[in-house]
Amino acid sequence: MRHWGPRSLWVPLGVFMTIGFGLQLWGGPFQKRFSMLQLRPSWTPLLGTAVESCLPRQRLVFLKTHKSGSSSVLNLLHRYGDRHRLRFALPVRYQFGYPRLFQASRVKGYRPQDRSTRPPFHILCHHMRFNLKEVLQVMPSDSFFFSIVRDPAALARSAFSYYKSTSSAFRKAPSLAAFLSNPRAFYRPGAKGDHYARNLLWFDFGLPFPPETKIKRENSHLPKDLNPLQRHVLPSGAGPGAKILDPSDIFQPVSTVADGHSQPASLTSFDVGSSSFIQWGLAWLDSIFDLVMVAEYFDESLVLLADALCWGLDDVVGFMHNAQAGGGQGLGAASNNTRTAEDQQLTARARAWNNLDWALYIHFNRSLWARIEQFGHRRLQRAVAELRARRAALAKHCLVGGEALDPKYITNHRLRPFQFGSTKVLGYVIQSGLSPQDQEECERLATPELQYKDLLDARQFPPPVPLPLKTTRLLSR
């Protein structure tokens, strides 16, 4: 059962009121239903396990976090909904009033007075800042809630180049290294776009922020041993040995110098029992989200998503979207053995500065691997291998060069991704000579999020057909 609200977490009401989550919860206890891990019958030959039949889940809420691989997830949701003719809760433009909290009134075609007569929405998946009360005005409470997180070190690198012109903090800093060495010289809470510069995941999840405090100068230097802050964060496919993130890492006394004082990286440095504050926030998210994917284990996360939704493997096979040229694996995805000392320092500083996101990441990395333990490692490895083989076959069949290309090579405006930030965003060119059916499917796989949203919008809200001239004249009399 799904329990949403204070009763599900067994937290005293005073704590609940103190940290302000009452702004997002409403009305009595909501009920959480923990998903049974099942597979569709079509998976049985692949995984060699007899499973009970299940019905595909088609009421979905995806919190699309920024710079975390979420555009790739959005594409598979677009394709699935498009193929099954599901109704999307769409923004009027491309986001739901972000960075403001989500409001149901921003959903195109939403009319609260018509909820009993109008067809319900199936999928809510575009950029928003999560607001549970308003989401439940649009989506049924038994929807499948999921999201994705990324190591804050890798996220910081991507966000710095992408939001350089948007965030005042990033705009003033000559480089990410300069920003992280003294973030207080550039960052001002509440300044335009500066939510991109610190704890962006925590912000996207709609969580309140604890009050900041200053700590003593003697704790203002990074520790000589940076290993505790970087261990066990390896790229997808690294294997089960990389799965564990030590929760004590969150509490390392790491800090960055700022205006003669230190910005705390240790959760214990906050007032009002901030460790409890953060743990309560994480428990609150656990009570809402059925699955939180991890970008560093993207393929493993896709298999678990298909399993939880009772979808086929082909439903989650797709290409990466919104990838930046020269992005590589990012700060948080490289092996410890291949990082330079400077990379390690940047990683530690990024995680320290984004300490709430680091707590989020550790928590959901742990929950993902607990789910993998239940799913079975060998079973997962076989499914991941099959998913990657299918992706490679699709890329070879569909794409010129079999991979993402520089946008200068993409002449089809329907496939050219929106260019933003200081780094080029890669896209795809479709092979010529495909059958009409293959052409359509390959284009779906390659269509960027903005263009796909426009296609869905046009299908759901077709323009009115103009009346014939004679009929128009009769009506005008």
Side-chain angles (χ1 to χ4, degrees):
M1 303 295 287
R2 182 187 296 261
H3 295 286
W4 282 341
R7 287 176 55 185
S8 67
L9 300 178
W10 300 96
V11 178
L13 181 61
V15 175
F16 172 77
M17 296 301 292
T18 299
I19 64 177
F21 280 100
L23 295 175
Q24 291 212 24
L25 300 178
W26 61 292
F30 297 103
Q31 297 182 329
K32 173 160 187 151
R33 191 184 52 207
F34 292 97
S35 303
M36 296 288 292
L37 289 180
Q38 298 176 324
L39 292 175
R40 296 175 70 176
S42 60
W43 284 47
T44 304
L46 170 65
L47 301 177
T49 303
V51 292
E52 182 182 349
S53 178
C54 57
L55 295 176
R57 301 286 296 270
Q58 295 187 336
R59 304 298 178 121
L60 311 173
V61 176
F62 175 58
L63 176 61
K64 187 180 185 298
T65 53
H66 288 80
K67 311 314 298 174
S68 299
S70 61
S71 294
S72 304
V73 180
L74 190 66
N75 177 263
L76 72 87
L77 293 175
H78 281 165
R79 287 185 286 116
Y80 184 90
D82 191 13
R83 192 161 52 246
H84 293 276
R85 288 298 186 258
L86 304 182
R87 291 189 77 235
F88 286 81
L90 297 171
V92 174
R93 299 191 67 184
Y94 299 104
Q95 299 185 0
F96 292 107
Y98 189 88
R100 297 182 181 87
L101 288 168
F102 174 82
Q103 295 293 319
S105 60
R106 293 187 177 274
V107 174
K108 188 172 183 178
Y110 169 73
R111 296 181 182 87
Q113 65 273 18
D114 297 339
R115 289 179 69 182
S116 60
T117 58
R118 291 180 62 84
F121 294 111
H122 295 94
I123 301 177
L124 173 64
C125 59
H126 292 86
H127 270 314
M128 63 174 166
R129 189 178 182 208
F130 190 67
N131 184 357
L132 178 62
K133 177 179 178 180
E134 290 292 314
V135 167
L136 292 176
Q137 296 293 319
V138 177
M139 300 297 296
S141 59
D142 63 347
S143 299
F144 184 91
F145 283 67
F146 71 111
S147 187
I148 185 169
V149 297
R150 185 182 186 185
D151 185 339
L155 191 154
R157 182 176 182 177
S158 180
F160 185 84
S161 63
Y162 197 79
Y163 298 114
K164 177 76 170 172
S165 63
T166 304
S167 166
S168 61
F170 287 162
R171 189 166 55 247
K172 290 181 287 188
S175 66
L176 179 61
F179 174 79
L180 290 174
S181 67
N182 189 9
R184 287 293 179 191
F186 310 102
Y187 175 83
R188 294 293 180 270
K192 185 177 180 181
D194 276 6
H195 60 282
Y196 293 117
R198 190 177 192 200
N199 292 317
L200 181 55
L201 291 173
W202 191 271
F203 183 88
D204 284 353
F205 275 99
L207 296 169
F209 285 78
E212 295 185 7
T213 60
K214 296 177 180 179
I215 59 177
K216 295 180 180 180
R217 184 186 297 268
E218 55 263 28
N219 288 333
S220 64
H221 299 289
L222 287 165
K224 293 181 181 179
D225 179 14
L226 296 172
N227 289 328
L229 284 176
Q230 65 189 14
R231 61 190 176 204
H232 305 310
V233 183
L234 298 176
S236 179
K243 70 188 181 194
I244 303 171
L245 288 173
D246 190 341
S248 65
D249 292 348
I250 310 177
F251 301 96
Q252 295 295 325
V254 181
S255 51
T256 50
V257 179
D259 300 332
H261 296 277
S262 302
Q263 171 57 31
S266 166
L267 305 184
T268 56
S269 64
F270 288 114
D271 287 337
V272 199
S274 64
S275 174
S276 299
F277 175 96
I278 291 174
Q279 293 306 316
W280 203 100
L282 297 175
W284 185 78
L285 293 179
D286 280 339
S287 73
I288 297 165
F289 286 87
D290 297 281
L291 174 68
V292 176
M293 304 167 66
V294 175
E296 281 72 19
Y297 301 100
F298 190 74
D299 291 343
E300 292 86 348
S301 295
L302 287 178
V303 170
L304 294 180
L305 178 66
D307 173 55
L309 296 179
C310 195
W311 289 7
L313 191 62
D314 286 333
D315 292 324
V316 298
V317 173
F319 304 144
M320 297 303 294
H321 281 264
N322 212 31
Q324 296 175 339
Q329 293 179 319
L331 284 172
S335 168
N336 294 344
N337 296 328
T338 62
R339 288 191 189 136
T340 65
E342 182 180 3
D343 288 337
Q344 294 179 28
Q345 185 179 64
L346 284 175
T347 295
R349 285 176 170 171
R351 292 172 180 170
W353 174 246
N354 297 283
N355 60 324
L356 300 179
D357 281 5
W358 183 227
L360 261 177
Y361 182 78
I362 289 177
H363 178 79
F364 287 121
N365 183 85
R366 185 187 299 116
S367 68
L368 181 82
W369 282 91
R371 198 167 188 134
I372 288 172
E373 292 287 346
Q374 184 177 357
F375 187 89
H377 288 285
R378 290 187 179 180
R379 187 180 173 203
L380 180 75
Q381 289 171 358
R382 291 195 299 270
V384 167
E386 178 65 18
L387 182 146
R388 291 173 178 167
R390 295 190 193 188
R391 180 190 293 138
L394 282 170
K396 182 178 180 180
H397 182 69
C398 291
L399 305 177
V400 171
E403 62 182 0
L405 300 176
D406 188 290
K408 68 182 179 182
Y409 298 113
I410 306 172
T411 57
N412 185 343
H413 71 277
R414 294 179 301 168
L415 301 181
R416 193 175 193 273
F418 176 64
Q419 299 299 307
F420 187 81
S422 59
T423 306
K424 293 178 181 179
V425 179
L426 303 178
Y428 301 101
V429 177
I430 303 299
Q431 296 266 25
S432 59
L434 298 174
S435 68
Q437 183 178 358
D438 285 0
Q439 178 79 20
E440 181 181 2
E441 185 57 32
C442 290
E443 286 187 356
R444 282 177 171 170
L445 285 159
T447 299
E449 59 184 277
L450 302 188
Q451 288 94 320
Y452 216 137
K453 184 267 176 186
D454 288 340
L455 291 174
L456 297 170
D457 198 314
R459 193 198 79 202
Q460 257 181 236
F461 303 97
V465 179
L467 294 171
L469 183 60
K470 289 184 179 180
T471 306
T472 305
R473 287 176 178 173
L474 288 173
L475 291 174
S476 63
R477 291 179 180 176

